[in-house]
Amino acid sequence: MAEYGDILHRLPQSKSVDAVRWLSSVSAFDRFVASAVHDPDAAVPAAASAIEIHSLILAPSADSSSREHPCFHLRSSWPSSSRISALRSSPTPYKHLAVAASTLSGSLHVLFVDPVDGSIESELSIPNDRSLHAGVVSAIDLLEGGRECVTVGEDGRVNLASIGESRMDYRRVYDSRGLASYTAVRWASPVEFATGGLGFGVQWWDPRKPGGFVSQFTSNWAQGKTTGIVHSIDIHPSRKHICMVGGSAGTVFAWDLRYPQQPILLSGAGGPELLSDIDEVWQVQYDSHTLSSSVNSATSAKLLPVMMCSEEGILAVLEQGEEPKRLLQEYCAINSFDIDPQNPSDVVCALEWEAVGILMRPKAGNYASSFGRLPPSFH
């Protein structure tokens, strides 16, 4: 169910969709989405998982109405021998569109996608030989330009992988040797990043400074009701010292490095009653579209609005000092979402019940005009 005049289009898939990401477009008529899929009924378990590249275009409505709807066309697929644990894409294309994926078995892969036809032209990988991570790679993030990828795992390792034209190497930034576990990571600058993990912790890293993280926030923000886990981190687009964090007990809070032990709570224990039924927040992302439509949110004293998705099927926008806005209320979990950086009114969501959702929010002019249209042969 979509609210606030938004339109949700559900695109059924034949497999479970674990994650989705927009790919940076080089043309207004070529829009691609990468999805991490898994088929639990596959005859061969090693062929159960894959990364699929879809083009997104508008097709005539089946009910002969004047409204058109977006549809997926599979352009290419890359099989993975292990289920995908994290998926990222490069914010800006570098010759090709870069898609990075990690797996439950501990490997890291980078796919190079043709920006015109969506085909996967090449792939680089670090195998699951326990050298990169001794088990699950919990989270990754691809640096703008697609030349470096940071990885973290439940084994307490933090790595930086350098992506070249024909090979990929990595170096260990930190190894807690099992004393800590990391479940989220996000680049803040070309040399700094933030991580989160078990035990409510959020860390700030600068690999130029030896000895591990340079700042840390530790607090029982679930008020002892659950074992706190950070699931997602996003960095303010213009103020890298402000991190947005989402995790257990429906918690979303801002962590400002200038006041490292004074988080700003937006959701969770003691937060808004409207979101009191949320258990796990799977992802958070700053929402520039809501900012552009709200005069109040543009004031420098307030945090940017942030979008979040949950295990309870809620997609909502949170804003400091305002009531939360529920954009979607699904009957299944929303595993992940991504706001199109070039068309921030459009949001792609991975729905637990084998579907992808495309949420189209109103914007100035025709909000569907940014989608490519079907060639005459499809009409």
Side-chain angles (χ1 to χ4, degrees):
M1 178 182 66
E3 302 182 15
Y4 296 98
D6 306 330
I7 301 175
L8 174 68
H9 299 274
R10 295 180 182 86
L11 309 179
Q13 306 295 299
S14 61
K15 305 172 184 177
S16 299
V17 184
D18 293 328
V20 287
R21 289 288 180 269
W22 292 101
L23 302 187
S24 299
S25 176
V26 296
S27 168
F29 302 101
D30 296 315
R31 300 183 70 186
F32 298 106
V33 172
S35 63
V37 298
H38 178 74
D39 183 2
D41 300 320
V44 181
S49 300
I51 295 175
E52 297 180 345
I53 308 299
H54 299 265
S55 61
L56 187 64
I57 55 181
L58 281 179
S61 178
D63 59 6
S64 300
S65 66
S66 58
R67 178 178 295 169
E68 294 176 303
H69 68 276
C71 60
F72 267 179
H73 285 269
L74 180 63
R75 293 299 186 94
S76 57
S77 179
W78 176 83
S80 173
S81 59
S82 178
R83 192 165 185 170
I84 305 299
S85 60
L87 184 70
R88 284 290 182 182
S89 63
S90 174
T92 57
Y94 182 84
K95 295 184 179 179
H96 299 88
L97 307 178
V99 178
S102 59
T103 68
L104 296 180
S105 62
S107 60
L108 176 66
H109 308 269
V110 176
L111 310 180
F112 297 102
V113 180
D114 186 283
V116 177
D117 62 14
S119 62
I120 298 173
E121 297 199 335
S122 60
E123 179 256 346
L124 300 175
S125 64
I126 298 176
N128 55 344
D129 57 3
R130 300 183 69 85
S131 60
L132 183 70
H133 286 280
V136 178
V137 183
S138 302
I140 61 175
D141 196 22
L142 195 58
L143 188 62
E144 184 172 329
R147 309 316 294 172
E148 198 163 30
C149 184
V150 57
T151 75
V152 298
E154 295 178 356
D155 57 2
R157 295 178 184 176
V158 180
N159 303 302
L160 288 179
S162 299
I163 304 167
E165 293 293 330
S166 59
R167 61 176 295 172
M168 184 162 51
D169 300 305
Y170 76 93
R171 65 184 178 92
R172 184 92 69 233
V173 175
Y174 183 74
D175 189 348
S176 73
R177 303 187 183 278
L179 297 179
S181 183
Y182 302 107
T183 54
V185 66
R186 197 78 166 105
W187 284 105
S189 75
V191 293
E192 299 163 297
F193 56 87
T195 63
L198 300 178
F200 314 104
V202 184
Q203 303 81 28
W204 186 268
W205 303 76
D206 185 342
R208 297 169 299 181
K209 302 175 182 179
F213 52 80
V214 296
S215 184
Q216 179 174 218
F217 167 70
T218 56
S219 178
N220 188 348
W221 38 259
Q223 297 185 357
K225 297 180 180 180
T226 184
T227 301
I229 303 175
V230 173
H231 295 306
S232 178
I233 296 176
D234 199 18
I235 305 296
H236 194 290
S238 60
R239 298 174 179 174
K240 70 177 185 180
H241 57 274
I242 301 178
C243 308
M244 194 62 66
V245 181
S248 300
T251 303
V252 177
F253 67 89
W255 181 46
D256 191 329
L257 287 173
R258 298 171 299 179
Y259 315 103
Q261 300 304 318
Q262 300 178 33
I264 301 174
L265 185 68
L266 299 183
S267 173
E273 184 67 25
L274 185 62
L275 299 178
S276 60
D277 56 341
I278 291 180
D279 184 22
E280 302 291 337
V281 173
W282 293 128
Q283 187 179 340
V284 292
Q285 188 175 347
Y286 280 107
D287 181 18
S288 60
H289 176 74
T290 299
L291 173 67
S292 65
S293 62
S294 171
V295 176
N296 291 333
S297 65
T299 60
S300 60
K302 298 179 67 175
L303 298 170
L304 287 176
V306 61
M307 188 176 292
M308 51 76 70
C309 69
S310 77
E311 175 65 22
E312 293 71 26
I314 295 173
L315 184 74
V317 174
L318 310 179
E319 188 174 357
Q320 185 183 9
E322 304 289 340
E323 282 295 310
K325 297 178 181 178
R326 290 199 186 198
L327 304 179
L328 294 179
Q329 175 66 75
E330 293 295 294
Y331 294 105
C332 63
I334 299 178
N335 295 327
S336 78
F337 71 91
D338 196 23
I339 300 172
D340 189 342
Q342 295 167 305
N343 300 281
S345 60
D346 299 331
V347 184
V348 61
C349 307
L351 307 180
E352 183 181 29
W353 289 354
E354 298 184 354
V356 171
I358 304 294
L359 181 67
M360 301 168 65
R361 298 183 285 177
K363 60 184 178 183
N366 178 10
Y367 57 76
S369 63
S370 61
F371 283 86
R373 298 183 179 274
L374 284 170
S377 60
F378 282 85
H379 287 283

